[in-house]
Each structure stands twice: as C-alpha cells, then as structure tokens.
C-alpha cells in the first residue's frame, strides 16, 4: 500500500474534486481517492491499471516517461481511455513524481466529451440541459442531457418542481427573478446556482431562464437552459481554500489559472492552459503580466485592463473576446477573487480564464433556431405573406380591440376563380406561381395598416384595420382586378372572388367573423357564375 509521511497531502488527494489514482513503478494501483471510487464506482480489486481498462495503457505511460525529457519536469502523459465497468470515455492525465519509496505516478481523470456539431434542431440533441416548466415550476418537458445531469429518470422529474431540486438559499434568491418574468414574454435572466443531485450531492450549474406565453392557452411557461459549471466552481473553491491543493489540480483543468500577489503586477503562477487558449507562451506573462491584453479585442481591452489591475479587492466576473491575426474570435470568461490572511490583509489575487466560445455558439444556435421556427410559424413558405396561424392571431386581436373601442374593421375573404383548372391544365408549378402572383397583388393593393394572409390552398384573407365604410369600395375595386403577369403563361388571366364582412356587435367571435366573410365570398362567386351564364345565353 502507498505510504506518505505527509498525511495532509493525502487528505488533499482524497478530497480532490476529480477522480485520481496513484500508481507505483510497476503500474499497480496503490491508492484511489473518493471521487474515483464514488463517481466511477471504482473498487480496488485489481492490482494493475490495465486490468481496469478496456485497452491497456501502462506500456504507453512507461514509454512516454522513459523518453529523454524535452521539458523539465516532463510533460504529463494524456490519453482517452475507457474503464471496463463504464461505457463513458475519460481523459487520463498522468504525471510522475519521485518519492522516498521510488517513482510514483499520479493519474487524474476527467469525463471526455465528443464535439457536437452546431446547429442541432432537436432539444434532445442539444449538448446542454434544457427543460420547460410551468408558472408553478412543475416540469413539462426536458431533454436527456438535463435529467441525466441530475441523475433522475425523465418520469421521476415530471413529478417534481424546479425549485424542489434547487439548493434552498439559491432557490430563495432566484424566486424573485422568476416572478419578475411573469407577463414579460421574451425576457430572460441567468444565474449560477446549485441543483441537488438524486444521490444528494450539490451540482453547480449556470442557468438561462426565458419566459414564453402559450399561443393557445396563454399560460406562462419558462424555458431553462442548463450548463454544467461544476468543475469551474469546484476549481474556484479549491483556490479559495488551499494553494497546495490548487497546484495539484491546476495543470489538469481546461481553464487558465493564475495567481498574483496583492499587487497584480507580481505574477506568481499561470498554468500551461494559457498556451492553448491564448496561443502563445505563458512565459511572457512573468516578464510582463499585461502581455495577455494584446490579444484582447480593442473594444474590450480597457475593460479587461481595469478589471485585472484595479486596486479593488472585490471579486470579479467579466466576459471579453480575443481577436487573433487571422480574424478568429474566442470568447473568454475572466473571473476571480482576492485571498486574505488571518489579519484580513490581502495576500493573493487568484483568477481563472475560461474559453466559453462553444457556450456562446450554442446559445446563438438556440436563438437562431427560435428565429427560424418563428419564421416558419408566422409566414407562408410559398407566398411569403402571413400564415393561417399568424393571420388568425391578427383577426382575434382586432376582434378583441373592437369589443373595447368599437373601432371599425373589415375582413375580406378571397378565392381564386378556376384555380383547379389551372393546376390540371398547366401543372402545380404554374399553380404555385399563380398563388405567389395573387399574394403580390393583394399586398400591393392594400394600405400599410392592412395585412394579408393565406388561409390555405387558393384562399386568402385581407384584414382592413381601422377602415371607414366610405373607404371600402375603392379598396375592394383594386383587390378584385384581374391579375395578368409576365411570369404566367400568355393565356392565363386570374380572376378573384371576394366576400367582405364588417365587424359588428352581432359577431360573437373571430372565427364567426371569418366564417361570415367566407360565406359572403361564396355567395358572390355563385352570383358571378350565374351572371356569366346568363350573359353567354344571350349571345
């Protein structure tokens, strides 16, 4: 069994927030910490590291550290591995240390995440958690990433409320923010908070909460996007409680970590992650701690400078962008705090610089998806005018305003004469062109305050808002003109049948208003056919 003469070091090892192993020079596991045993359900029943893995790795580790070192100390060994007891992939990072009993290898494990292609359209394919709750906090829907993050099955979560799973003090702080969103569709807030995992431990997440109103019921719902920031929060807690524990973990995390004296120009430490994020050597910072500012976008450089080199002892958390010579952009979250001694004297400034570019891209993808979905719902894909769903919302809104103000409005129902014959004779492609020309004709012959929409097939409506009866004949005359277009076959002239209905107190609903306009249109169409028949019979 591994022995250490410094029991405090073993304490830090055992409570480290990432799974860790200690191997001897033969590759035998001599110690594993609590996270390795609890999270991976690892048991020290195997004496050799290769016995625990789906594919051996010990020879690779030995070969890596037997090579003549280019750096001092040698670079850690890194490889993606799988345990035989788990289907998940982990990044294995191994460092070597000389002890009184010989060479010792310290291995740290982090969950390996594959890249997710941007622009996914299904909630279940999003790489972060997402849930929908009602105004009381009951879960209505969620994706797999959300309920797996909390350790529950989907059906278990649908019996619970969002705040029931939130740490009590965090829930009390968030409830006023949630309450303020009611009645403010399209607004949002974001908070860092702790969820309670099914197994009882706390889990830090960053949540973005948006309020939306159901189009049918009008009920308020909240969409919650959840990002796992547990590692980031754990890292900050580590820095706040122990410099030694921090240095053990700092080289194995995905954020830039730095420590300075009370004077921010006295830089003591920055980890090698800086080389990857800033794409330059961290060594330059020891000579000039302000060197990192050169890569920051000019528009945000002053913000970063004032934040980092301020004499204030308050914690900070700001976002800015890095701008590279080739035009690439990275988004950075710069956060940190001050460390004081027992006499409340400032002794250190400690911070992290996290590349949040993927988080920003994912958030932008969600916004783009929402905009595209709205475009599909609000507008007819063929003609570009309002869809049935959208025009019906306008009709209902106008009806509700009439009940309060009595403001006159007119609804015109429109149908293309002989459209089936055009489709049968010339094909659906020409038929689609006719529908587009009808939409263009309607929108070009109404006022800015009016709106046109496609009900379906060759049926359209025009809503004439705030329209006096004296204005109607002129508008109807323009709308019912024959449509002749250079884009249609030479012998096609499209005629329209119209039916108008003025909104009055006898109409009890928006649907009745639409129906009566429709009936008027069909009555006019029949009369037009009858008149045409009588005219032909006299010839």
């Amino acid at each position: 069994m591994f022995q250490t003469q410094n029991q405090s070091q073993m304490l830090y090892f055992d409570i480290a927030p990432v799974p860790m192993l200690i191997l001897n020079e033969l590759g035998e596991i001599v110690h594993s910490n609590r996270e390795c045993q609890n999270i991976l359900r690892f048991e020290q029943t195997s004496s050799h590291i290769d016995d625990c893995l789906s594919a051996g790795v010990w020879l690779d580790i030995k070969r890596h550290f037997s090579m003549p070192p280019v750096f001092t100390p040698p670079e850690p060994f890194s490889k993606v591995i799988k345990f035989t007891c788990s289907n998940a992939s982990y990044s294995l990072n191994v460092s070597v240390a000389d002890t009184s009993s010989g060479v010792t290898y310290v291995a740290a494990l982090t969950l390996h995440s594959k890249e997710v292609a941007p622009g996914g359209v299904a909630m279940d394919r999003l790489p972060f958690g997402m849930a929908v709750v009602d105004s009381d906090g009951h879960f209505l829907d969620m994706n797999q990433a959300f309920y797996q993050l909390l350790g529950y099955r989907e059906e278990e979560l649908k019996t619970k409320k969002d705040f029931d799973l939130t740490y009590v003090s965090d829930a009390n702080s968030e409830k006023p923010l949630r309450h303020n969103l009611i009645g403010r569709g399209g607004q949002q807030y974001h908070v860092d908070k702790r969820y309670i995992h099914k197994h009882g431990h706390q889990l830090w997440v960053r949540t973005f909460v948006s309020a939306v109103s159901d189009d049918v019921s009008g009920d308020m719902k909240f969409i919650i996007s959840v990002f796992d920031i547990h590692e980031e929060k754990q890292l900050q807690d580590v820095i706040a409680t122990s410099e030694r524990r921090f240095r053990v973990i700092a080289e194995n995390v995905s954020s830039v970590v730095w420590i300075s004296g009370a004077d921010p120009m006295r830089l003591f430490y920055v980890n090698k992650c800086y080389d990857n994020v800033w794409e330059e050597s961290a060594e330059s910072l020891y000579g000039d701690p302000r060197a990192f500012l050169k890569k920051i976008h000019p528009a945000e450089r002053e913000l970063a400078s004032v934040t980092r080199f301020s004499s204030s002892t308050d914690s900070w958390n700001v976002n800015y962008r890095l701008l590279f010579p080739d035009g690439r952009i990275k988004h950075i979250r710069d956060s940190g705090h001050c460390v004081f001694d027992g006499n409340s004297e400032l002794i250190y400034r400690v911070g992290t610089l996290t590349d949040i570019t993927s988080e920003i891209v994912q958030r932008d993808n969600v916004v783009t998806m929402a905009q595209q979905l709205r475009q599909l719902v609000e507008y007819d894909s063929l003609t570009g005018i309002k869809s049935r769903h959208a025009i019906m919302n306008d009709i209902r809104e106008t009806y509700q305003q009439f009940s309060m103000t009595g403001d006159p409005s007119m609804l015109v129902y429109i149908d293309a004469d002989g459209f089936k014959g055009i489709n049968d004779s010339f094909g659906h492609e020409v038929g689609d062109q006719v529908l587009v020309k009808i939409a263009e004709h309607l929108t070009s012959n109404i006022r800015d305050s009016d709106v046109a929409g496609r009900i379906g097939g060759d049926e359209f409506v025009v809503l004439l808002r705030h329209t006096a009866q004296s204005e109607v004949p002129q508008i109807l005359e323009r709308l019912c003109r024959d449509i002749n277009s250079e884009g249609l076959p030479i012998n096609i002239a499209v005629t329209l049948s119209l039916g108008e209905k003025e909104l009055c107190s006898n109409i009890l609903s928006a649907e009745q208003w639409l129906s009566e306009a429709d009936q008027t249109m069909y009555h006019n169409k029949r009369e037009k056919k009858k008149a045409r028949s009588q005219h032909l019979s006299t010839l």
Side-chain angles (χ1 to χ4, degrees):
M1 177 61 69
F2 175 74
Q3 298 292 327
T4 178
Q5 297 179 4
N6 190 333
Q7 294 301 317
S8 64
Q9 290 182 2
M10 288 305 299
L11 173 62
Y12 287 128
F13 178 87
D14 285 334
I15 65 175
V18 294
M20 299 184 76
L21 299 166
I22 295 178
L23 312 174
N24 64 17
E25 57 189 0
L26 300 178
E28 296 171 336
I29 301 172
V30 295
H31 195 72
S32 60
N33 71 351
R34 188 182 307 164
E35 286 294 315
C36 194
Q37 297 167 13
N38 291 346
I39 296 179
L40 301 179
R41 299 180 181 177
F42 176 78
E43 298 180 1
Q44 299 185 50
T45 56
S46 303
S47 59
H48 198 278
I49 181 66
D50 284 351
D51 294 338
C52 307
L53 306 178
S54 57
V57 75
W58 176 245
L59 289 180
D60 293 337
I61 295 174
K62 291 289 289 183
R63 189 180 301 113
H64 175 82
F65 288 108
S66 65
M67 296 173 64
V70 178
F71 301 95
T72 304
E75 287 288 304
F77 170 84
S78 297
K79 188 172 184 178
V80 177
I81 55 92
K82 279 189 176 182
F83 282 89
T84 55
C85 61
S86 171
N87 291 326
S89 297
Y90 292 85
S91 294
L92 175 69
N93 295 278
V94 182
S95 300
V96 66
D98 292 325
T99 66
S100 58
S101 58
V103 177
T104 299
Y105 299 88
V106 179
L109 298 160
T110 54
L111 191 62
H112 178 70
S113 300
K114 297 181 179 178
E115 285 190 352
V116 178
V121 295
M123 191 166 79
D124 270 332
R125 295 179 59 191
L126 292 174
F128 54 88
M130 181 171 283
V132 180
V133 302
D134 63 18
S135 57
D136 294 325
H138 291 101
F139 287 103
L140 302 176
D141 198 10
M142 69 203 70
N143 65 358
Q144 184 177 6
F146 181 81
Y147 60 77
Q148 286 186 344
L149 178 67
L150 297 180
Y152 287 89
R153 298 191 307 274
E154 183 176 7
E155 56 268 26
E156 292 177 317
L157 281 184
K158 286 190 175 179
T159 65
K160 300 181 180 296
K161 294 184 178 181
D162 176 42
F163 287 130
D164 292 341
L165 303 175
T166 303
Y167 191 69
V168 175
S169 63
D170 296 346
N172 292 336
S173 299
E174 187 183 0
K175 285 177 181 177
L177 299 176
R178 184 76 59 85
H179 179 74
N180 288 339
L181 283 188
I182 296 177
R184 299 183 182 181
Q187 299 294 314
Q188 76 165 211
Y189 66 84
H190 72 273
V191 294
D192 291 354
K193 68 176 185 179
R194 287 162 290 184
Y195 273 134
I196 306 300
H197 192 274
K198 182 178 181 179
H199 295 153
H201 60 270
Q202 299 173 18
L203 185 67
W204 275 102
V205 295
R206 178 165 295 118
T207 62
F208 294 82
V209 183
S210 301
V212 296
S213 178
D214 190 286
D215 285 338
V216 178
S217 67
D219 293 337
M220 184 65 67
K221 297 186 294 187
F222 300 98
I223 299 176
I224 306 175
S225 300
V226 180
F227 296 87
D228 183 357
I229 60 168
H230 198 65
E231 179 184 340
E232 179 182 336
K233 286 293 185 178
Q234 284 181 320
L235 176 59
Q236 292 181 0
D237 290 343
V238 164
I239 295 172
T241 56
S242 169
E243 180 183 352
R244 286 178 298 174
R245 182 182 174 197
F246 153 73
R247 286 184 176 274
V248 170
I249 299 173
E251 294 300 332
N252 295 298
V253 297
S254 55
S255 296
V256 179
V257 183
W258 60 268
I259 302 175
S260 76
D263 177 0
M265 291 298 291
R266 295 180 59 208
L267 184 66
F268 295 151
Y269 171 81
V270 60
N271 69 350
K272 293 176 182 177
C273 185
Y274 179 89
D275 298 21
N276 296 326
V277 177
W278 255 253
E279 300 181 15
E280 63 185 22
S281 173
E283 294 299 320
S284 62
L285 296 178
Y286 293 105
D288 179 12
R290 301 179 66 90
F292 78 99
L293 294 171
K294 297 176 183 177
K295 287 280 180 69
I296 296 177
H297 195 288
E300 294 154 1
R301 193 173 295 154
E302 183 65 19
L303 168 67
S305 177
V306 170
T307 300
R308 176 68 68 83
F309 298 102
S310 168
S311 59
S312 171
T313 58
D314 295 333
S315 298
W316 68 91
N317 190 336
V318 298
N319 293 353
Y320 49 73
R321 294 167 293 168
L322 301 184
L323 177 61
F324 293 88
D326 59 3
R328 287 180 298 115
I329 293 286
K330 287 184 181 179
H331 294 266
I332 303 297
R333 178 178 295 115
D334 186 336
S335 58
H337 59 269
C338 296
V339 180
F340 302 87
D341 63 14
N343 297 320
S344 299
E345 292 290 332
L346 176 62
I347 53 175
Y348 298 121
R349 295 177 187 268
V350 182
T352 59
L353 304 168
T354 305
D355 184 348
I356 59 170
T357 304
S358 61
E359 178 182 322
I360 297 297
V361 170
Q362 291 162 2
R363 185 190 66 189
D364 291 345
N365 285 338
V366 172
V367 173
T368 300
M369 289 186 329
Q371 293 172 341
Q372 292 173 344
L373 179 60
R374 179 179 178 183
Q375 185 72 17
L376 290 173
V377 172
E378 294 288 331
Y379 296 95
D380 180 61
S381 60
L382 173 63
T383 63
I385 63 175
K386 288 205 170 185
S387 66
R388 180 186 180 95
H389 168 81
I391 195 66
M392 281 305 301
N393 282 343
D394 289 338
I395 294 172
R396 292 188 186 101
E397 181 182 343
T398 302
Y399 176 79
Q400 291 170 357
Q401 289 177 350
F402 173 79
S403 64
M404 295 182 290
T405 65
D407 196 18
S409 293
M410 182 75 68
L411 188 62
V412 184
Y413 206 105
I414 301 152
D415 181 78
D417 296 330
F419 181 74
K420 182 178 184 303
I422 293 174
N423 261 342
D424 293 343
S425 300
F426 298 97
H428 289 285
E429 183 175 348
V430 172
D432 287 346
Q433 293 177 21
V434 168
L435 295 176
V436 172
K437 296 301 179 183
I438 293 174
E440 293 174 352
H441 169 76
L442 297 180
T443 55
S444 63
N445 285 287
I446 58 177
R447 304 162 303 176
D448 291 341
S449 60
D450 303 330
V451 61
R454 183 184 177 197
I455 292 296
D458 61 337
E459 296 182 346
F460 299 79
V461 294
V462 170
L463 177 59
L464 306 176
R465 296 188 178 111
H466 321 298
T467 306
Q469 186 64 40
S470 60
E471 299 176 88
V472 173
Q474 296 177 351
I475 300 174
L476 294 181
E477 181 182 355
R478 294 196 302 268
L479 292 178
C480 69
R481 290 172 184 165
D482 292 352
I483 301 172
N484 295 283
S485 173
E486 296 178 356
L488 299 177
I490 192 168
N491 55 342
I492 289 183
V494 181
T495 62
L496 303 176
S497 293
L498 278 62
E500 73 278 5
K501 182 65 180 178
E502 184 179 7
L503 185 55
C504 62
S505 58
N506 292 332
I507 295 177
L508 304 181
S509 68
E511 288 72 20
Q512 180 187 349
W513 190 18
L514 180 68
S515 176
E516 293 195 10
D518 182 22
Q519 293 172 19
T520 302
M521 183 274 296
Y522 276 108
H523 171 76
N524 294 342
K525 182 187 279 283
R526 287 192 297 270
E527 291 298 316
K528 184 160 56 171
K529 287 182 178 179
K530 185 186 299 183
R532 186 182 299 116
S533 233
Q534 291 174 350
H535 174 70
L536 292 175
S537 66
T538 61
L539 297 179

